Amino acid sequence: QERDDRCRRGNEERKQRYPSEQEHRRERSGDRERHRDHSDRRKNPSERPGVRGHERERDARTIREQQAEREFYNERRREHRQSNEGSGVDQGPEVGQSDHQPKEKAAVNKEKPSFELSGALLEDTNTFRGVVIKYSEPPEARIPKKRWRLYPFKNDEFLPVMYIHRQSAYLLGRHRRIADIPIDHPSCSKQHAVFQYRLVEYTRADGTVGRRVRPYIIDLGSGNGTFLNNQRIEPQRYYELKEKDVLKFGFSSREYVLLHESSDKSEANTKDDDEDEEKEEESDS
């Protein structure tokens, strides 16, 4: 009997304990789900119902504003077109009508599609070592026969000479990967300027016309500019260089003096050099 009583008591205690354990487990699972929902909302705030409603309202507002702007510009175009048509119809065959005719023709020409070369493709294809070059050489570019040199000076300190007669153009800039003449000063641009040789015509003393290769400098739209004889030059424009000209780039203290191997010789020798350049160009052509 005692054994049976113990078994009965144990079963009753288990029955009393079991529902409490089940309720405890249910409460724990409910707490976990609530915590998970709260963390998901913190991670994805856009999924909240209020935020979604605000985004929809904002999108609808932007769409309405765009439509209003479109209608406004369409009305302005219509008014402009009507005014042009009215001015063309109302005026008789007088001076006013002849004044409006070239304007209408110009407007028609603007509307026609243009299939000419825009230069955008050249900008993409004119690359060197994976870098797009801002500059392309002109058709009159030539390699000079005269041996030009740049003599750099920094605060009266003489630096190594630069020989610039082996190419038709030299790119100057801070980008060492593509620059022929690197300029490391922080005020200079990556592609600052170009030293270009061009074949140009000139008039001799006897009145005849000849051709010779002359050095030019062109600034590629740099931020702090290029200076020729302490005067800033305009960007995207060729400036002819002469013997003993001084170049400076940006705020760098270095000065580059342009000379050639026959700078200390007489004018007769320089004239002979020009004639040799002419003969060389004629033989090349």
Side-chain angles (χ1 to χ4, degrees):
Q1 286 179 357
E2 289 179 0
R3 197 181 300 131
D4 294 337
D5 291 338
R6 286 177 189 168
C7 292
R8 199 181 302 114
R9 287 172 192 165
N11 291 331
E12 289 176 359
E13 289 177 359
R14 282 196 204 95
K15 287 179 183 177
Q16 290 176 0
R17 233 184 262 156
Y18 183 70
S20 63
E21 289 179 358
Q22 278 190 345
E23 290 176 0
H24 184 63
R25 288 175 184 172
R26 286 174 189 167
E27 290 177 359
R28 288 185 64 187
S29 62
D31 293 339
R32 286 175 186 166
E33 290 178 359
R34 283 195 294 273
H35 181 69
R36 194 181 297 114
D37 293 339
H38 183 66
S39 62
D40 291 340
R41 286 176 185 173
R42 288 185 65 187
K43 288 180 182 175
N44 301 321
S46 61
E47 292 181 359
R48 296 176 186 173
V51 175
R52 287 181 181 175
H54 286 303
E55 287 183 354
R56 288 174 186 168
E57 290 178 2
R58 188 175 59 199
D59 294 340
R61 198 182 304 117
T62 54
I63 290 169
R64 284 197 297 271
E65 290 176 358
Q66 289 176 359
Q67 287 178 352
E69 287 182 1
R70 209 174 288 125
E71 290 175 359
F72 174 72
Y73 285 117
N74 288 335
E75 291 207 351
R76 286 191 65 184
R77 286 198 199 95
R78 261 190 239 106
E79 291 175 359
H80 184 65
R81 198 179 296 120
Q82 288 175 2
S83 63
N84 286 338
E85 289 175 358
S87 63
V89 172
D90 294 339
Q91 290 177 352
E94 295 179 356
V95 180
Q97 188 175 2
S98 62
D99 292 340
H100 281 279
Q101 282 179 355
K103 291 182 180 179
E104 292 175 358
K105 289 181 180 178
V108 172
N109 290 333
K110 285 182 181 178
E111 291 176 359
K112 289 181 180 179
S114 176
F115 298 101
E116 296 179 358
L117 297 175
S118 63
L121 184 62
L122 180 62
E123 291 179 358
D124 293 337
T125 55
N126 190 19
T127 57
F128 180 67
R129 294 180 180 175
V131 181
V132 179
I133 308 298
K134 296 181 181 179
Y135 175 79
S136 57
E137 291 192 60
E140 68 272 12
R142 297 291 188 278
I143 297 176
K145 185 179 179 182
K146 189 181 292 185
R147 296 184 178 180
W148 291 93
R149 301 168 183 174
L150 280 177
Y151 291 81
F153 293 90
K154 183 178 180 180
N155 299 327
D156 297 332
E157 179 186 354
F158 182 72
L159 299 174
V161 182
M162 298 179 180
Y163 298 92
I164 53 171
H165 64 276
R166 299 181 180 91
Q167 298 175 193
S168 58
Y170 289 84
L171 178 64
L172 299 96
R174 203 161 36 85
H175 204 309
R176 281 186 165 269
R177 193 172 181 181
I178 57 174
D180 300 307
I181 300 175
I183 306 173
D184 295 330
H185 199 270
S187 65
C188 298
S189 302
K190 292 183 179 179
Q191 300 181 38
H192 196 97
V194 171
F195 191 87
Q196 177 71 60
Y197 292 103
R198 301 170 65 198
L199 180 65
V200 294
E201 295 183 351
Y202 73 101
T203 305
R204 299 191 184 93
D206 56 357
T208 57
V209 178
R211 296 190 305 170
R212 61 185 174 186
V213 178
R214 298 295 300 168
Y216 287 81
I217 190 73
I218 180 172
D219 185 86
L220 300 180
S222 60
N224 297 314
T226 302
F227 297 86
L228 174 60
N229 298 327
N230 293 325
Q231 291 186 354
R232 184 167 181 171
I233 63 175
E234 296 180 8
Q236 307 298 336
R237 180 182 168 187
Y238 286 109
Y239 285 82
E240 184 177 355
L241 298 176
K242 298 178 181 178
E243 186 182 353
K244 298 180 182 179
D245 277 348
V246 181
L247 292 170
K248 289 183 70 177
F249 304 99
F251 302 135
S252 175
S253 59
R254 294 193 181 191
E255 297 181 347
Y256 299 84
V257 182
L258 180 66
L259 297 171
H260 54 81
E261 60 179 355
S262 57
S263 294
D264 54 345
K265 295 182 180 179
S266 62
E267 295 181 358
N269 291 334
T270 58
K271 186 177 179 181
D272 293 339
D273 290 338
D274 292 338
E275 291 177 356
D276 292 339
E277 288 179 4
E278 275 185 59
K279 292 178 181 177
E280 185 183 10
E281 286 300 327
E282 290 176 358
S283 62
D284 292 340
S285 60

